[in-house]
C-alpha cells in the first residue's frame, strides 16, 4: 500500500491541478485559517514580487529559498510573460503544514488528494503547496512552485477561457525555469507516449479538454500531461503559446484562437491532431525509452522503476543488497554492476548502493562517476545529490558540495542530516549562508 | 531657639536615661536567671524520683516562666520617669559629677533650679528673675560643663548578669545524666521484640537482645522504689543514651552496642545488643524432572501440556508474599500468588499448564517479598515451541545459513574478478553451520542441496583450483540464494496467492455493486456495502502485511525520517480512503462517496498489478528449485498425458470411421460421395498427425526446460537419470511412430503407439514423484536429529553441571530424612539454605 502512496506522492512530475476545473467558493484566507491552530502563528516573508506564508515553525527552513528561487524564475520568465506583469502586487505563496489543512482550505477532499497525489494548487491566485516535510522522499517543490506560478501568470493574462490542456502544457514548458529553459520528457514518459502511439491509443484533443485527473487510469492521466506538453510545444512553434493565450482571451474562444494561431480550421486540426501532429513527433529511441515503450506501467515511480527492470537484473540487485548488508562491499559492487549492465532501467537506489560500495572499497572516482550518472538520469534524486555533496566536501570542493546540497535541498530539504551538513558547510565557508541558487545563477 | 543651657541639660538627661535603662534591664535579667537556675536544680533532681520522673522539662519551664513574670513585674514597677523630673534628675547628676560644683558647694542646686525653670518655661520672660538666673548660669556653662557617666554599680550589675549566664550553662552541663558507676545486680530473663513492619506483633524472646534493624525492643522495668528506673543504651560505642522506663523499658534497634538498666544512682551490668540488617528473601524455582529438581534451566518444550515445578522460598524474618510469574517480552503474568504469608520458609510443588501458551521464549520465576524487600529467583527459561515459534526458528536458521552463503558468493565473485580462488573460501565453506531444525520438506531438501554444492565447490575450486568453473558456480550459488530467500518468504507468509485472489474477488464484488449503485438498483448506504468494506479492509491488511515481507533489493535510507514515521503511524492510505467513504456515507454525501469509491477501486486494481509483479519474481525464484522444477515437470507431463488421451480418443473415433468406410461396398453411383468421405478422412488423419507432432514438440520443450533448470543442480543426476532419459526417449519415439501411423492413415498402429505414450508419460510422472519422495525422506532423516514433530518433548538445553546436580540430589535426600520433631524445622531449613547456596 505504501508503494501506492509513495508512488502518488513522489510523482512530483505529475501536477494534478484539479482546482483549475472546479469553481470554488471563496476560500478561507491562510492567516485566518491558521489563527489559533496547533502549529503556531502564521509567519510571512516578502521579496520584491512574492510573499511567502507558513505556519509550521520548521517550514521556515525553505521560506528564504522559495523567495530567491521564484525571483530568479520570474526574471527568466519576464521576457515571455511580460503581459502577465500588469499588476503591482506580490504573488502569495502559502506553505501548508499538512494534507488535512490543505484539504480544508482548498475544499478538495482528502481522499482526492491521496488518490491523485496532488501536492500543489493555484486557487484564487494563491500558490498553495504542501510542505515537503510531509513526504519521506520530498518532492521537487521549487519546480512545483514555478509550475503553479505559470498557472498564476496565465490567469493574470487570461483569467478565463483557457482549456486545461493549454494550462498544463504551458506550465510544464516553463516549470524548469530558471535552470532548465527547455521542457524535457523523461525516458519513461517518452516510452509511454511511444507505446501508446504504436498501439493507436493516444488521446484526442477532445479528450484533452476533460479534467486530467479524472482519466480512467493514472497512466492515462500521465499521457494527457505528456500530450498537453507536446501539443503546447508544437503550438509554440506556430504562433507562440503566450500569443495563443492572448488570442483566447481576446476571442473568448479556444476554436477561434487555435484557427488564428495555426491557420487551420478546427475540424481539420482535430482530425490531424493524432495522426499528424502527435504522429510526427520525434521520440528519442534509446534503450530505456524502448523498454518503457514496451512495458511501462503508470504507477511506477522513480524507485519502483526498479521493479520494471529485467527479472534477472532484479535478482542480482537483490543479491548485491544482501552482500552489501554483510559488509562485502567489493562483491556487492561487482554484483550490482552486473545488475545495472543487464538492465535497461537503472534505478537510482541501485546506483547509490553501487556508489557507496565503491567508495567503501576506496574507488572514490568511480563512485562519483556513478552518482553523477544517477543525477543526470534522475535529477530529482535527493539522496544521490547528498552523496555527491559528501564526496565533494571530503575533497574540500566546498562550492561544488554546496551546489549538490542545494540540489538535494530543492527536493527533500528535511532529509535526515541535510540541514546539519549545510550548516557545517556554512561554517566552513560563511559566504554560502544565503546562497540559495546554483553557481551559474548567482546574482 | 532653645538656649544653650536647655540643650545641654537635654543631652545629659538622655544619657542619664540610657544608664538607668541599662541598670534596670540588668536587674530584670538577673531576676530571670535566678528563677532559671532554681528551675534547673529542681528539674534535675526531680528526675531521680519516680514521682516527678518525666516532668523535668515541665518543671524547668514553670521556673523559666515565673522568672520572666517576676522580671517583667519588677521592670514595670521600677522603671519609668515623671515629666516633672525630666531635667531635674539630669541637672542633679551634673552637679554631682561636675568638679565645678564640688569646688563651689554654694552653687550646688543652682543648676537644679535652672532645670526646674526650663522644665516649666523653655523661654522665660525677658527681664524676669528666671531669665536672669538662666542667663547667669549660661555664662558659667563652660565652667561646669561635663558629660555625665554611669555609676560604677552599673558595671557590677552587668558583671553579675554575665556570671549568671555562665553559671546556667555550667549547671546545664553539670546536671547532664550519666551512666551511674554503682552496679546493682539484675538479670534480663526475657524481652519482647516487634519487627519493623506495620502489622507486626510483640514476640517474646529468651536469649540475649538481638534483632533486625528498626525492630522495637522492650522488657519489664525493674522496680527501684521511690527512684525512677532508667534504661541506658550505647550504640556502636557512641554516647550513652538514657531513657526513662515506665511499665517497660523500650527502644528501637539501630546499631549493635550494649545496654544497662537501673536508677540514676545505680545500674545493672552492661548487656550486649546485636543488630543485623534485614536480609532479602531467598527464592528458587526448580523444574521437577523425575526425581531431580533442576534449577535455573533453559528448556525447550514441545507438544507438552504441563510442566511440574517446585518453588522454595525463605526469609530471615518472615515471608509476606510469594508469586509465580511468567514473563515474555517484558510482559508479566502472575500464574499464582500467596499474599498472606507469615512463614519463614515455603515450599510447594505445582503443575503449570501450557495449554494456553503461544510459542516463544518465556521466563518463569518466583517473586518473594518479606515486609521490607523483594527478590526474584533465577528464572527457568522456557522456549515453548508451537508451530509459529518453530516456523520463526526455521526462518532464523535459514536466514543465518543464507548469510553464510552470501559470503561464499562474495568470495566467488571476488575470485572471478581476481582470476584466482580466494584463500578465505576454503575456511568459509568448512565453517558453515547447517541448521538441524528444518524438518519441513522444502527447507530440509534445500539444506541438503547446499551441503552438496559446498562439497562440489570444495573439490573443484578449493582443491582443484578450476578457476574456469567460477562463472558456473557463481550462477549456481546465486540461484540457490534466491531460492533460499524466496523460501524464507514462503515460510513467513504462506501462500500469498490466496490473499491476492480473495482481494481480487472482493474488488470485483465491489465493482459489481458500484455498477448496481450507478444503475440505481441499490442504496448507497446498504448493509451489503458496509459488509463488503469490512471484508475489504481485512483482506487489505492481510495482504499488505504479507507483501511487506517480500524480499527487497536496495533501499533508500536517506529519507526524511520524521515524515516516514508519521506515515507509518497513520493508517494505510487505502484503508483511510475506505474510512473516508464510510464517513461520507454517514454524513449523507452520497455523490462524493460514489466518486471516492470509484477512485478506490481504481487504486485497488493498481495494487493488484503491483502485487502480481512482485509475486511473479518470487514465484520464478521458487521455481528455480530442483524440487519445484520436478513438480512443474510432473504437472506438464500430466497435462500432456491428458492431451494424448484426448488424441487417442479422436484416433479411435477416426479408426471406427475408417473401418466403416472400408466396409462400404463400391457403388459407382456413390463414387463421388465415397471419394469425398475418403478425402475428409485423409484430412482428419493429417490433422491428428499435426496434433501429435505438436504434442511431441511440447514434450520436447518441457524436457528441455526441465533440463535447463536442473543444470548444475545437485539433483540433476537424480532427476535426469539414465533410466528417465530412456523413458523419455520411449515417449518421443512412440509419439513419432504414432505421428507416422497417422500420416499413413494407419489408425491401429497409431493407437498402439499412443497407448505406449500414455503409459510412458504416466510412468515418467510416477518416477518424478518417487524421486522427490526419496529425496525428501533422505533430507528428513538428516534432520531427524533435530526436533521430532508431534512427539512430546522436554529438552533441558542448559542447566548446572552434572556435579552440581549430584550435590543437589544428595542434599535433597538428606533433607527428606526425618529427625526429631523439635529439630525438623531447623533440619529442613539447614538443607534448604544449602540448596540455595
Amino acid at each position: 500500500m505504501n508503494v501506492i502512496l509513495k508512488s502518488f506522492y513522489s510523482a512530483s512530475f505529475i501536477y494534478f491541478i484539479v482546482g483549475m476545473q472546479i469553481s470554488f467558493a471563496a476560500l478561507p484566507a491562510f492567516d485566518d485559517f491558521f489563527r489559533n491552530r496547533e502549529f503556531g502563528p502564521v509567519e510571512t516573508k516578502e521579496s520584491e514580487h512574492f510573499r511567502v506564508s507558513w505556519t509550521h515553525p520548521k517550514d521556515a527552513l525553505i521560506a528564504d529559498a522559495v523567495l530567491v528561487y521564484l525571483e530568479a524564475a520570474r526574471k527568466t520568465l519576464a521576457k515571455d510573460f511580460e503581459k502577465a506583469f500588469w499588476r503591482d502586487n506580490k504573488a502569495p505563496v502559502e506553505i501548508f503544514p499538512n494534507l488535512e489543512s490543505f484539504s480544508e482550505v482548498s475544499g478538495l477532499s482528502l481522499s482526492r488528494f491521496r488518490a491523485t497525489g496532488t501536492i500543489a494548487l493555484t486557487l484564487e491566485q494563491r500558490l498553495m503547496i504542501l510542505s515537503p516535510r510531509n513526504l519521506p522522499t520530498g518532492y521537487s517543490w521549487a519546480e512545483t512552485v514555478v509550475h503553479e506560478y505559470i498557472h498564476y501568470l496565465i490567469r493574470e493574462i487570461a483569467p478565463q477561457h483557457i482549456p486545461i490542456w493549454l494550462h498544463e502544457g504551458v506550465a510544464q514548458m516553463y516549470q524548469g525555469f530558471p535552470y532548465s529553459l527547455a521542457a524535457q520528457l523523461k525516458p519513461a514518459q517518452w516510452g509511454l507516449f511511444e507505446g501508446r502511439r504504436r498501439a493507436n491509443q493516444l488521446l484526442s484533443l477532445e479528450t484533452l479538454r476533460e479534467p486530467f485527473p479524472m482519466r480512467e487510469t493514472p497512466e492515462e492521466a500521465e499521457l494527457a500531461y505528456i500530450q498537453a506538453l507536446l501539443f503546447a510545444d508544437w503550438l509554440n512553434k506556430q504562433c507562440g503559446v503566450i500569443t495563443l493565450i492572448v488570442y483566447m482571451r481576446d476571442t473568448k474562444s479556444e476554436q477561434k484562437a487555435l484557427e488564428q494561431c495555426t491557420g487551420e480550421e478546427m475540424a481539420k486540426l482535430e482530425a490531424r491532431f493524432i495522426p499528424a501532429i502527435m504522429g510526427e513527433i520525434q521520440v528519442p529511441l534509446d534503450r530505456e525509452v524502448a523498454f518503457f515503450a514496451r512495458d511501462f506501467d503508470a504507477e511506477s515511480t522513480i524507485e519502483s522503476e526498479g521493479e520494471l527492470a529485467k527479472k534477472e537484473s532484479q535478482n542480482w540487485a537483490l543479491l548485491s543488497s544482501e552482500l552489501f548488508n554483510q559488509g562485502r562491499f567489493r562483491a556487492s559492487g561487482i554484483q550490482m554492476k552486473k545488475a545495472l549492465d543487464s538492465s535497461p532501467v537503472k534505478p537510482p537506489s541501485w546506483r547509490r548502493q553501487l556508489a557507496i560500495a565503491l567508495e567503501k572499497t576506496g574507488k572514490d572516482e568511480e563512485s562519483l562517476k556513478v552518482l553523477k550518472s544517477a543525477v543526470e538520469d534522475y535529477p530529482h534524486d535527493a539522496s544521490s545529490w547528498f552523496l555527491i555533496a559528501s564526496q565533494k566536501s571530503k575533497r574540500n570542493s566546498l562550492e561544488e558540495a554546496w551546489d549538490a546540497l542545494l540540489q538535494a535541498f530543492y527536493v527533500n530539504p528535511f532529509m535526515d542530516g541535510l540541514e546539519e551538513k549545510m550548516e557545517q558547510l556554512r561554517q566552513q565557508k560563511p559566504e554560502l549562508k544565503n546562497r540559495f541558487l546554483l553557481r551559474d545563477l548567482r546574482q | 531657639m532653645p538656649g544653650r543651657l536647655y540643650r545641654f541639660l537635654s543631652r545629659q538627661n538622655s544619657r542619664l536615661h540610657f544608664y538607668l535603662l541599662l541598670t534596670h534591664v540588668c536587674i530584670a535579667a538577673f531576676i530571670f536567671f535566678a528563677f532559671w537556675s532554681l528551675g534547673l536544680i529542681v528539674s534535675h533532681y526531680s528526675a531521680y524520683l519516680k514521682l516527678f520522673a518525666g516532668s523535668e522539662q515541665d518543671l524547668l519551664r514553670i521556673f523559666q516562666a515565673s522568672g520572666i513574670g517576676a522580671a517583667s513585674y519588677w521592670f514595670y514597677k521600677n522603671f519609668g520617669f515623671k515629666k516633672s523630673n525630666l531635667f531635674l534628675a539630669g541637672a542633679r547628676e551634673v552637679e554631682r559629677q561636675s568638679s565645678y560644683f564640688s569646688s563651689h558647694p554654694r552653687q550646688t542646686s543652682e543648676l537644679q533650679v535652672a532645670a526646674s525653670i526650663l522644665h516649666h518655661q523653655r523661654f522665660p520672660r525677658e527681664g524676669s528673675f528666671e531669665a536672669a538666673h538662666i542667663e547667669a548660669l549660661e555664662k558659667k556653662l563652660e565652667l561646669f560643663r561635663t558629660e555625665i557617666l554611669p555609676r560604677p554599680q552599673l558595671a557590677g550589675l552587668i558583671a553579675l548578669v554575665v556570671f549568671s549566664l555562665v553559671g546556667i550553662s555550667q549547671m546545664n552541663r553539670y546536671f547532664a545524666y550519666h551512666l551511674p558507676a554503682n552496679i546493682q545486680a539484675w538479670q534480663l530473663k526475657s524481652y519482647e521484640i516487634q519487627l519493623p513492619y506495620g502489622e507486626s506483633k510483640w514476640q517474646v524472646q529468651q536469649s540475649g537482645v538481638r534483632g533486625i534493624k528498626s525492630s522495637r525492643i522492650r522488657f519489664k522495668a525493674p522496680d527501684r522504689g521511690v527512684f525512677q528506673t532508667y534504661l541506658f543504651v550505647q550504640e556502636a560505642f557512641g554516647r550513652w543514651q538514657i531513657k526513662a522506663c515506665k511499665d517497660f523499658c523500650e527502644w528501637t534497634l539501630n546499631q549493635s552496642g550494649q545496654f544497662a538498666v537501673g536508677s540514676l544512682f545505680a545500674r545493672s551490668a552492661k548487656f550486649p545488643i546485636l543488630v543485623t540488617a534485614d536480609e532479602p528473601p531467598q527464592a528458587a524455582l526448580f523444574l521437577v524432572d523425575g526425581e531431580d529438581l533442576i534449577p535455573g534451566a533453559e528448556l525447550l518444550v514441545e507438544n507438552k501440556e504441563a510442566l511440574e515445578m517446585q518453588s522454595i522460598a525463605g526469609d530471615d524474618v518472615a515471608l509476606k508474599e510469594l508469586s509465580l510469574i511468567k514473563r515474555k517480552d517484558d510482559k508479566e503474568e502472575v500464574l499464582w500468588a500467596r499474599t498472606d504469608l507469615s512463614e519463614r520458609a515455603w515450599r510447594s510443588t505445582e503443575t503449570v499448564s501450557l495449554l494456553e501458551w503461544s510459542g516463544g521464549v518465556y521466563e518463569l520465576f518466583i517473586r518473594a517479598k518479606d515486609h521490607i524487600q523483594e527478590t526474584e529467583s533465577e528464572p527457568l527459561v522456557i522456549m515453548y515451541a508451537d508451530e509459529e515459534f518453530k516456523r520463526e526458528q526455521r526462518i532464523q536458521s535459514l536466514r543465518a545459513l543464507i548469510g553464510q552463503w552470501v559470503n561464499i558468493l562474495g568470495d566467488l565473485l571476488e575470485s572471478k574478478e581476481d582470476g584466482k580462488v580466494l584463500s578465505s573460501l576454503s575456511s568459509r565453506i568448512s565453517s558453515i553451520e547447517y541448521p538441524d531444525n528444518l524438518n519441513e520438506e522444502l527447507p530440509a531438501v534445500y539444506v541438503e542441496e547446499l551441503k552438496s554444492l559446498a562439497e562440489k565447490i570444495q573439490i573443484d575450486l578449493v582443491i582443484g583450483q578450476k578457476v574456469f568453473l567460477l562463472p558456473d558456480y557463481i550462477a549456481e550459488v546465486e540461484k540457490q540464494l534466491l531460492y533460499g530467500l524466496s523460501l524464507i518468504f514462503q515460510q513467513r507468509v504462506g501462500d500469498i496467492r490466496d490473499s491476492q485472489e480473495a482481494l481480487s474477488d472482493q474488488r470485483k464484488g465491489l465493482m459489481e455493486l458500484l455498477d448496481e449503485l450507478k444503475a440505481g438498483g441499490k442504496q448507497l448506504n446498504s448493509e451489503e456495502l458496509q459488509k463488503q468494506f469490512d471484508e475489504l479492509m481485512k483482506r487489505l491488511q492481510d495482504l499488505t502485511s504479507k507483501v511487506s515481507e517480500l524480499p527487497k533489493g536496495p533501499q533508500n535510507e536517506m529519507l526524511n525520517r520524521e515524515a516516514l514515521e508519521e506515515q507509518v503511524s497513520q493508517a494505510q492510505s487505502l484503508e483511510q480512503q475506505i474510512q473516508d467513504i464510510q464517513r461520507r456515507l454517514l454524513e449523507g454525501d452520497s455523490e462524493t462517496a460514489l466518486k471516492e469509491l470509484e477512485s478506490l477501486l481504481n487504486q485497488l486494481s493498481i495494487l493488484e498489478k503491483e502485487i502480481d509483479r512482485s509475486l511473479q519474481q518470487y514465484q520464478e525464484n521458487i521455481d528455480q528449485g530442483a524440487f519445484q522444477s520436478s513438480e512443474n515437470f510432473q504437472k506438464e507431463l500430466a497435462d500432456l498425458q491428458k492431451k494424448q488421451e484426448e488424441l487417442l480418443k479422436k484416433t479411435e473415433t477416426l479408426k471406427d470411421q475408417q473401418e466403416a468406410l472400408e466396409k462400404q461396398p463400391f457403388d459407382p453411383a456413390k463414387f463421388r460421395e465415397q471419394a469425398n468421405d475418403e478425402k475428409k478422412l485423409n484430412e482428419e488423419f493429417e490433422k491428428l498427425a499435426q496434433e501429435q507432432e505438436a504434442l511431441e514438440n511440447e514434450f520436447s520443450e518441457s524436457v528441455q526446460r526441465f533440463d535447463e533448470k536442473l543444470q548444475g543442480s545437485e539433483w540433476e543426476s537424480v532427476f535426469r537419470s539414465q533410466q528417465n532419459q530412456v523413458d523419455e526417449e520411449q515417449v518421443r519415439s512412440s509419439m513419432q511412430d504414432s505421428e507416422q501411423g497417422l500420416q499413413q492413415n494407419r489408425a491401429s498402429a497409431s493407437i498402439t503407439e499412443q497407448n505406449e505414450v500414455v503409459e510412458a508419460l504416466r510412468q515418467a510422472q510416477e518416477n518424478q514423484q518417487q524421486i522427490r519422495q526419496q529425496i525428501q525422506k533422505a533430507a528428513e532423516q538428516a534432520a531427524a536429529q533435530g526436533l521430532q514433530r508431534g512427539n512430546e518433548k522436554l529438552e533441558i538445553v542448559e542447566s548446572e553441571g552434572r556435579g552440581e546436580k549430584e550435590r543437589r540430589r544428595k542434599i535433597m535426600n538428606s533433607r527428606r530424612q526425618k529427625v526429631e520433631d523439635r529439630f525438623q524445622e531447623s533440619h529442613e531449613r539447614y538443607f534448604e539454605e544449602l540448596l540455595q547456596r
Side-chain angles (χ1 to χ4, degrees), chain A residues 1-5 8-9 58 100 109-112 114-115 132-137 215-218 297 299-300 303-304 307-308 311 314-319 321-323 326 328 330-331 334-336 338 349-350 352-353 356 363 381 383 386-387 412 414-416, chain B residues 399 402-404 406-411 413-414 417-418 422 428 474 478 481-482 485 540 544 551-564 567-568 570 572-577 580 584 592 595-596 599 602-603 606-607 609-610 613-614 616-617 620-621:
Chain A
M1 199 87 52
N2 244 351
V3 177
I4 299 296
L5 185 68
F8 279 122
Y9 274 164
K58 285 191 176 176
E100 286 73 18
S109 80
L110 208 53
S111 50
R112 181 58 57 186
R114 290 198 184 101
R133 199 174 27 76
N134 288 272
L135 310 178
T137 50
R215 302 258 36 90
E216 276 184 16
T217 61
D297 209 347
E299 67 268 25
S300 303
E303 281 306 319
S304 64
E307 309 277 337
L308 291 169
K311 298 280 184 280
Q314 260 185 273
N315 281 337
W316 282 331
L318 178 65
L319 291 173
S321 193
E322 290 287 324
L323 285 160
Q326 294 273 347
R328 299 297 301 263
R330 186 180 161 210
I334 297 170
Q335 195 75 338
M336 189 54 90
K338 230 159 80 176
S349 60
W350 295 14
R352 280 198 304 269
Q353 188 184 287
I356 298 171
K363 297 175 181 171
D381 186 46
S383 308
F386 186 82
L387 290 174
N412 196 1
F414 297 95
M415 181 204 285
D416 288 359
Chain B
R399 201 77 195 71
I402 285 173
Q404 296 175 70
V406 164
N407 273 305
I408 290 176
L409 175 64
D411 283 355
L413 287 166
E414 289 173 17
E417 198 175 68
D418 295 348
L422 284 191
R428 216 183 290 278
I474 287 172
E478 282 173 352
L481 284 173
L482 290 165
L485 289 168
L540 267 177
T544 44
K552 292 181 183 72
Q555 300 293 300
N556 189 4
E557 298 292 330
M558 283 171 279
L559 298 165
N560 170 5
R561 212 150 295 280
E562 198 179 311
L564 190 68
Q567 266 186 16
V568 170
Q570 286 175 3
Q572 300 282 5
S573 72
L574 282 178
E575 289 163 25
Q576 267 188 338
Q577 250 178 293
D580 280 353
R584 289 203 182 272
T592 318
K595 278 183 188 164
E596 301 298 343
S599 154
N602 212 8
Q603 286 181 68
I606 295 167
L607 179 69
K609 279 188 199 168
E610 181 86 27
R613 211 168 45 207
S614 305
Q616 215 181 326
Q617 177 80 8
E620 276 177 21
N621 288 336

